[in-house]
Amino acid sequence: EKSKTSFFNKLSKAVAGKSKVDDDVLDNLEEILVTSDVGVNTTLKIIERIEERVSNDKYLGTDELNVILREEIAGLLSETNVGEETEFSIPTDKKPYVLMVVGVNGVGKTTTIGKLAHQFNAKGLKVVLGAADTFRAAAIDQLQVWADRVGVPIVKQDMGSDPASVAFDTLQSGVAQDADVIIIDTAGRLHNKVNLMNELTKVKRVMQKVVGDAPHDVLLVLDGSTGQNAFEQAKQFTAATEVTSLAVTKLDGTAKGGVVIGISDQFQIPVKYIGVGEGMEDLQVFNKYEFVDSFFK
Amino acid sequence: MFNNLSDKLDKALHVLKGHGSITEVNVAETLKEVRRALLDADVNFKIAKQFTTTVKEKALGQNVLTTLQPGQLMVKIVKDELTQLMGGDAEGINLSGTPTVILMSGLQGSGKTTFSGKLANYLKTKKTKKPLLVACDIYRPAAINQLHVVGEQIGVEVYSEEGNQDPVAISQNAIKHAKSNGHNIVIVDTAGRLAVDEEMMNEISNIHKAIQPQETLFVVDSMTGQDAVNTAKTFNDILNFDGVVLTKLDGDTRGGAALSIKSVVNKPIKFIGTGEKMEAIDVFYPDRMADRILGMGDVVSLVERA
Ligand SMILES: Nc1nc2c(ncn2[C@@H]2O[C@H](COP(=O)(O)OP(=O)(O)OP(=O)(O)O)[C@@H](O)[C@H]2O)c(=O)[nH]1
Ligand SMILES: Nc1nc2c(ncn2[C@@H]2O[C@H](COP(=O)(O)OP(=O)(O)OP(=O)(O)O)[C@@H](O)[C@H]2O)c(=O)[nH]1
Ligand SMILES: [Mg+2]
Ligand SMILES: [Mg+2]
């Protein structure tokens, strides 16, 4: 709170009645953004936007400033991020709605799936989980624990079996069970590993044998404490699977996850969810204004 | 990103070319680009600033020898400074205990459980030790199971107590078990925790006090951004850890977090993780890390072109 107030105070002093912002204040803004992992490029872009606004609408008051700062930063987030959505929802015209979850190692894919399953299940939707991480030690057991915790069925095979085959089975079983939502867990993989990325493309393709337009949503999970490498992650996962939404996890710590601003801007992918803990309830629908505000806290 | 950086430095180095010595004025642009390269590599904001100031001080007034372009000299200064900051020679692990107790710590998903397995495997095969792995993560779904699977893969016994909710007691019991079963290494895997989670930080502090490890390792994901300093500092304040493990370096991250952590806690980086398999462990080489952070391959080749 303290740094937030003092930053806005400084900003207003530097801008009130002027057509240019003081360098000191811009330096301060740069520090806040860069240390939130926004990255140099995106930070410069934001600063340019602020400067432009200030020179256009001269004689700004304090209140307007606060609004401008938020607007210009939030404005970079993909337009589909209206920032007013508060409900966990899925389109009603797709049944089953197939969600595939991807990302690098350890970011929180399986946990996010457990939390999502809980949200959908609580809304009375029928959820089926698919354990297509057949590689990481005890990955299947981990998803099983989540399935039991939430009380939803899981489709699985043995460790080491073909992930595409598990996904195929899950969709067949989901269709047979008249499921509303099917969520496929995949093994963590670094985006620079060509074979593993190809495997993901295959998993996606095989699903379409059961449900023609599946997956309806490819959710890329990003660890909120990741820095600029997240850009490359978004790029490569998009190339392999056409990522359609983002989740940012572990925002209950001191990391800010600012890198998603540039990612959402560059790839036009909306951020849908944020993870704020390890429990079942610790998933929130993304709100861009709250997100931006957290940088200044 | 690589091309961009090369282009920028190319331009910046051009300014230096043809000057007899490095001055405040002609070096400014280069320093700006170096700082930017560091930030793009996820070096912490403040540390990148400090770093470029130090480099500037070292560079100012240096005469450029006839054989060395000013740009080359700058690159050399940057690289030397970075390597020195990353730490001198690779530092080993202290195996003096009977048994030697090694405690893992770090954020969620950083790679503690995987690294515990890798380290056990390394000590077993390379140092002919008899390790015991201890499962003290009682929270994460199937964490205990995960360690058992890992232990089986490498043929190392895993100690766990299903149902026991007290990690301090589990770790103490494990050491007794190790002593009476001839294990000379005990590797204690713990749950991931956030530095701001007081209760969980107290827990690991209590484990640390109870078992007094010879080695406490802080395991960190090499893709970590600006937050690396906060986390490393808090874990170090509480555990006074002995070394750092940098995981997932098989990716394409520049790994600037390594420099940030080194600068903030001044503890050696002892090992790196380079894959998901049990063999994917290596000791740490400061100069390679320095190269990686700055993309020195690029920089050197562009200076040669200049
Ligand atoms: N504090 C916090 N921890 C989280 C959050 N999301 C996940 N985690 C933790 O992060 C760790 C890794 O989570 P997983 O769900 O296993 O990650 P994953 O991406 O499935 O990992 P792999 O399958 O191994 O690639 C676990 O300890 C989770 O409890 C979050 O929002 N906040
Ligand atoms: N590519 C790669 N993956 C790694 C490396 N080290 C660990 N992993 C993967 O990262 C993910 C998380 O590793 P874990 O060992 O479960 O991490 P952890 O710190 O024990 O996680 P928590 O117990 O949930 O806090 C898994 O998918 C591992 O296979 C590495 O060096 N390279
Ligand atoms: Mg997983
Ligand atoms: Mg673990």
Side-chain angles (χ1 to χ4, degrees):
Chain A
E1 258 321 288
K2 196 168 157 244
S3 72
K4 183 181 176 179
T5 343
S6 70
F7 177 74
F8 283 125
N9 277 342
K10 269 197 218 160
L11 187 65
S12 359
K13 266 204 206 115
V15 179
K18 296 181 189 166
S19 57
K20 205 174 170 306
V21 193
D22 281 358
D23 283 348
D24 270 6
V25 177
L26 290 183
D27 283 353
N28 203 342
L29 179 60
E30 184 199 10
E31 173 164 4
I32 289 173
L33 294 175
V34 170
T35 53
S36 302
D37 286 315
V38 170
V40 179
N41 270 331
T42 311
T43 295
L44 292 178
K45 198 165 176 175
I46 292 169
I47 289 181
E48 270 166 31
R49 278 170 163 238
I50 307 267
E51 285 187 313
E52 213 169 285
R53 279 285 286 269
V54 169
S55 67
N56 286 343
D57 332 336
K58 291 168 191 162
Y59 308 108
L60 292 164
T62 315
D63 292 349
E64 291 159 287
L65 266 176
N66 194 333
V67 174
I68 285 180
L69 187 60
R70 280 175 104 207
E71 271 179 3
E72 290 302 329
I73 299 176
L76 286 173
L77 287 155
S78 163
E79 276 168 30
T80 34
N81 270 128
V82 275
E84 279 135 28
E85 197 80 47
T86 51
E87 286 278 302
F88 287 87
S89 62
I90 50 161
T92 45
D93 58 338
K94 309 270 185 213
K95 188 183 159 97
Y97 184 75
V98 180
L99 179 63
M100 174 165 139
V101 181
V102 301
V104 300
N105 308 83
V107 289
K109 294 175 292 299
T110 307
T111 307
T112 302
I113 291 170
K115 295 170 182 174
L116 274 174
H118 166 65
Q119 291 295 341
F120 293 139
N121 185 59
K123 297 188 87 176
L125 297 168
K126 183 158 176 48
V127 184
V128 175
L129 303 181
D133 179 358
T134 60
F135 179 73
R136 221 242 14 249
I140 301 171
D141 301 334
Q142 185 187 359
L143 192 67
Q144 178 76 62
V145 172
W146 275 105
D148 295 344
R149 201 179 264 183
V150 178
V152 296
I154 176 174
V155 176
K156 58 184 185 183
Q157 294 179 11
D158 291 336
M159 283 296 292
S161 55
D162 178 14
S165 157
V166 180
F168 183 87
D169 277 5
T170 310
L171 263 58
Q172 275 201 325
S173 165
V175 170
Q177 293 180 60
D178 200 27
D180 296 299
V181 193
I182 296 173
I183 313 179
I184 305 291
D185 191 15
T186 62
R189 67 200 74 220
L190 291 176
H191 50 283
N192 59 337
K193 309 219 160 151
V194 178
N195 290 345
L196 296 178
M197 296 307 278
N198 287 342
E199 177 188 271
L200 215 50
T201 315
K202 182 185 161 198
V203 172
K204 188 179 158 177
R205 204 173 52 236
V206 168
M207 282 194 238
Q208 292 166 351
K209 292 182 182 166
V210 189
V211 176
D213 56 350
H216 305 103
D217 192 5
V218 178
L219 178 68
L220 173 67
V221 180
L222 299 170
D223 185 323
S225 60
T226 302
Q228 299 309 302
N229 191 250
F231 258 101
E232 212 49 41
Q233 294 171 24
K235 189 170 165 194
Q236 300 307 335
F237 276 96
T238 298
T241 61
E242 293 168 63
V243 171
T244 48
S245 54
L246 303 171
V248 191
T249 61
K250 308 182 194 175
L251 290 183
D252 42 329
T254 39
K256 304 290 189 195
V259 68
V260 293
I261 291 180
I263 291 174
S264 183
D265 179 37
Q266 183 172 330
F267 301 98
Q268 287 298 304
I269 308 171
V271 187
K272 273 202 186 152
Y273 310 111
I274 62 167
V276 291
E278 299 184 74
M280 198 147 71
E281 304 281 352
D282 295 328
L283 188 72
Q284 296 171 1
V285 174
F286 179 73
N287 177 305
K288 60 179 167 184
Y289 297 109
E290 280 174 18
F291 182 70
V292 170
D293 285 348
S294 76
F295 299 167
F296 300 97
K297 272 177 191 145
Chain B
M1 189 169 96
F2 277 100
N3 285 335
N4 193 16
L5 170 64
S6 301
D7 290 348
K8 288 274 168 59
L9 273 175
D10 211 357
K11 254 197 229 141
L13 291 174
H14 248 91
V15 179
L16 273 182
K17 201 177 166 186
H19 289 266
S21 67
I22 295 174
T23 66
E24 186 103 25
V25 176
N26 65 22
V27 83
E29 192 65 21
T30 308
L31 286 172
K32 214 170 120 192
E33 293 310 330
V34 168
R35 175 168 167 270
R36 186 169 175 169
L38 294 173
L39 293 178
D40 279 341
D42 292 320
V43 173
N44 177 266
F45 185 85
K46 287 207 173 74
I47 290 158
K49 216 171 198 172
Q50 272 166 26
F51 183 84
T52 40
T53 308
T54 314
V55 166
K56 185 168 97 183
E57 279 160 10
K58 297 219 159 144
L60 279 185
Q62 285 215 29
N63 285 318
V64 182
L65 302 170
T66 40
T67 49
L68 218 56
Q69 298 283 352
Q72 285 174 313
L73 181 61
M74 272 304 289
V75 166
K76 188 177 161 359
I77 294 170
V78 168
K79 170 142 195 226
D80 287 352
E81 185 61 23
L82 205 52
T83 308
Q84 198 204 319
L85 271 182
M86 293 309 311
D89 295 327
E91 244 177 273
I93 184 163
N94 172 8
L95 300 174
S96 65
T98 44
T100 293
V101 178
I102 304 170
L103 177 65
M104 297 296 164
S105 67
L107 295 184
Q108 286 92 346
S110 56
K112 295 172 296 300
T113 306
T114 307
F115 186 77
S116 299
K118 289 177 183 179
L119 184 60
N121 188 47
Y122 169 87
L123 294 175
K124 180 187 161 190
T125 54
K126 299 269 171 20
K127 310 266 175 193
T128 61
K129 297 285 183 185
K130 189 185 174 196
L132 178 70
L133 283 163
V134 184
C136 278
D137 179 357
I138 54 167
Y139 309 97
R140 168 172 165 166
I144 297 173
N145 230 336
Q146 184 187 0
L147 196 65
H148 276 283
V149 173
V150 163
E152 233 163 74
Q153 279 172 11
I154 56 174
V156 167
E157 187 184 336
V158 175
Y159 184 90
S160 65
E161 295 183 24
E162 205 69 51
N164 189 340
Q165 295 296 306
D166 180 2
V168 177
I170 298 171
S171 63
Q172 287 172 316
N173 294 342
I175 291 170
K176 278 181 218 142
H177 177 90
K179 280 181 180 157
S180 49
N181 289 275
H183 292 277
N184 42 22
I185 305 276
V186 179
I187 299 174
V188 180
D189 182 27
T190 62
R193 64 201 74 223
L194 294 169
V196 288
D197 188 335
E198 236 171 84
E199 204 176 307
M200 289 296 285
M201 292 309 286
N202 276 338
E203 178 195 83
I204 198 160
S205 168
N206 290 336
I207 297 176
H208 185 255
K209 281 179 201 143
I211 61 177
Q212 302 191 355
Q214 274 70 41
E215 283 280 340
T216 301
L217 297 176
F218 176 63
V219 181
V220 60
D221 186 325
S222 59
M223 295 175 273
T224 310
Q226 297 286 319
D227 190 51
V229 289
N230 302 329
T231 313
K233 190 171 181 308
T234 311
F235 273 81
N236 193 49
D237 285 349
I238 287 176
L239 298 174
N240 190 18
F241 55 69
D242 302 285
V244 177
V245 177
L246 212 53
T247 63
K248 308 181 199 173
L249 272 171
D250 45 326
D252 56 6
T253 181
R254 282 281 168 83
L259 176 61
S260 306
I261 292 171
K262 190 72 213 299
S263 309
V264 165
V265 298
N266 196 26
K267 295 287 170 68
I269 299 171
K270 294 199 169 178
F271 292 99
I272 61 170
T274 57
E276 297 191 70
K277 303 234 167 75
M278 285 299 120
E279 297 74 29
I281 171 176
D282 205 348
V283 292
F284 175 77
Y285 298 101
D287 54 333
R288 288 186 201 169
M289 198 65 219
D291 277 359
R292 184 176 178 129
I293 291 174
L294 258 188
M296 205 46 98
D298 304 342
V299 177
V300 170
S301 72
L302 109 210
V303 168
E304 279 162 6
R305 260 193 292 129

